[in-house]
Structure formats: C-alpha cells, structure tokens
Amino acid sequence: MSLLEIRDLHVTYGTGAAAVRGVDLTIAPGQKLGVAGESGCGKSTLAMALLRLLPASAVLRGSVLLDGEDVLTMRWGRLRAVRWAGASIVFQGAMHSLNAVHRVGDQIAEPILLHGLATPAGARARVGELLEQVGLPAARAQAYPHELSGGQRQRVMIAMALACAPRLIVADEPTTALDVMIQAQILRLIERLVAETGISLLMISHDLSVLADTCDRLAVMYAGRIVEEGPARAVHTAARHPYGQALSAAFPRIGDPSSRRAPRGLPGDPPDPSALPPGCAFHPRCPVALGVCASDDQPLREAGPEHRAACVHAGSLSRSTA
C-alpha cells in the first residue's frame, strides 16, 4: 500500500489562479520523491496542500490519501493529530518559521507535548536526542534562533520535523538560503536520517541535480501540472520533456567548459496561473512545439521504463533538442 497517494489534485485561489492542476503522485513507504520546477510552477502550493496549510481563499479538489485517509476531508481534530505525527514539513526559510522570542528547544518540544507523546521532562530529553541526531549539541536547545547560523537553524527545523516520528517529511526547498558547503551538509543529513529512520521524503527544489542526487524518483512541475515523472537519474540525464531538458541544461557541469561558459537556460517565465495559454502551457517557450501543442494539452505518455512525459515527442525527444 502507498503511504501517500495524490489523485487529481487541483488548487485554485480566489483570484482565479489555477496553482495546481490535476496532479497525480504516489510515494511508497521509505521512498524519496523529488518535485522540481521554476518559481511559480506550483511546487510550494502542492506541499502546503498536503497538510491543508493553505489560506482560506484556496479551493482544493481531488484527494490526498495519507495511509489511506483523505487529508482534504479530515475533521479538524483528526487533521491536528496527523500533522507532525503522520506527516511534517520543513519550510525553506527557517528564520521565518522559528519564533524569534522562544528558545529553539521549547519550539521542538511543543509538538511533542501537544501530541501527548512525553512528559515535560521526557520532552526535554527527546529534544536533546533530536538535536544530537541532526548534528547539534544538546545544549543548543537553550539558544534563540538569532544565536544560530543559517545551517544550524535549518538543522533545528529538521529536528522539529522529526520530533513526533512521522512517516512522511515534506521538505520545501530546505537548502535554498544556504551556501554551497552548508547545503551539501544538510542534504547529506537528510539522506542519512531518511535511511536510518525509514521515513518517506517529498523534497521540493528548483535544482534537478540536487534532487537527482537525493531522491529515488523525480517529478517535474510546470504551470501547476506534472509534465514529467520517472527515475531520478533518468529524468535528470535523459529528460523526455523539453522543459525537463531546459532545467537540466541550465546548470553548468563540472568538467564541461562549454556548459560553464555558456549554460543553456530558458527564455521567459512560467505563465500567470490566472491566465494560462491554451493547449500545452509550455508551448509558448518550447523549442520543438507543434501546431497541436497550441490547441491540445498533452497527457503523460510512456517515455521509457517507469518514465512518463506530457509531450508529443515523449518517445523520441533527445537531449540535443533542448
């Protein structure tokens, strides 16, 4: 049985913006799934929808089954029980997520106490264990967020996400604000914790290489839709959708002077969710678009072993066309 099943998920805001459009994704127990895409493609809206953290103006349709229960139809009391204990989230801006006037140890202990998993003394001991698990001394529980570095604050956020031993962690661009060295440390930490605890991971990033190095499978999101999905390495190195190819080609490759001097990007920006173009939303930026792309949205098609792409060229597109 899948741990998480997202079926035909739509998220529309009061402005008419269609931020998520018919997303289908599945995560098995212990699996690591990455979701990639530019800013504005709906990744963070998808992450927030999984635990119903979106504002009241958002209208959700479809289903989000966590251990067989639909998060979207849960009563408020059940939803509170599922948050932190069933699934938790690591936000991309730790300084904005942590309370500046409370010690970090108290903030990590809060979900433990709210869920009745320990006494106050037991929660303090658990906080020390969690901090050491993420590579921080237990004594840092007495620190305030401003007394920690960016990397240390992100480790605190990961410790908080682990506090109630959830089966799923959603990591929404957890390394975006960090320098390259600290980013690598946090990624290795996440990998180690997932391996040690057996939890599932949904990790969101704009960086395909980071996701390919961390996750088992990878989904590429554009204009609120999944346009490619498959084994992480295959999607990164042999994308079958022009958008996936452009994301991969946008980053210089070590040992490849030509890509370093002239990285191949993609002109333009994702469309406004409230004014999507007809047909395939990517066709105005696509280098290989056909006439049909401007009139008909493309379904996900088989593009290789366990690999699908929403493109008329899915079965034949090579990296050279990007």
Side-chain angles (χ1 to χ4, degrees), residues 38 222-223 227 241-244 246 266 271 277-287 289:
E38 295 168 282
Y222 186 80
V227 297
H241 192 285
Y243 182 62
L266 186 65
C280 172
F282 184 63
H283 87 264
R285 304 171 73 191
C286 182

Side-chain angles (χ1 to χ4, degrees), residues 169-205:
I169 286 183
V170 179
D172 185 8
E173 303 204 39
T175 61
T176 295
L178 306 177
D179 63 63
V180 175
M181 294 298 291
I182 302 301
Q183 179 185 80
Q185 292 176 17
I186 296 298
L187 290 173
R188 298 290 81 77
L189 170 64
I190 291 173
E191 282 189 283
R192 175 175 62 80
L193 292 173
V194 169
E196 289 177 355
T197 61
I199 58 179
S200 299
L201 174 69
L202 175 64
M203 185 169 176
I204 291 172
S205 177

Side-chain angles (χ1 to χ4, degrees), residues 25-70:
L25 286 173
T26 299
I27 302 179
Q31 189 177 46
K32 297 171 288 183
L33 173 68
V35 178
E38 295 168 282
S39 296
C41 284
K43 306 184 306 300
S44 292
T45 293
L46 173 64
M48 303 284 272
L50 301 186
L51 288 172
R52 277 170 52 190
L53 296 172
L54 292 169
S57 60
V59 178
L60 285 73
R61 293 188 291 111
S63 63
V64 177
L65 300 179
L66 182 64
D67 270 332
E69 289 187 85
D70 192 349

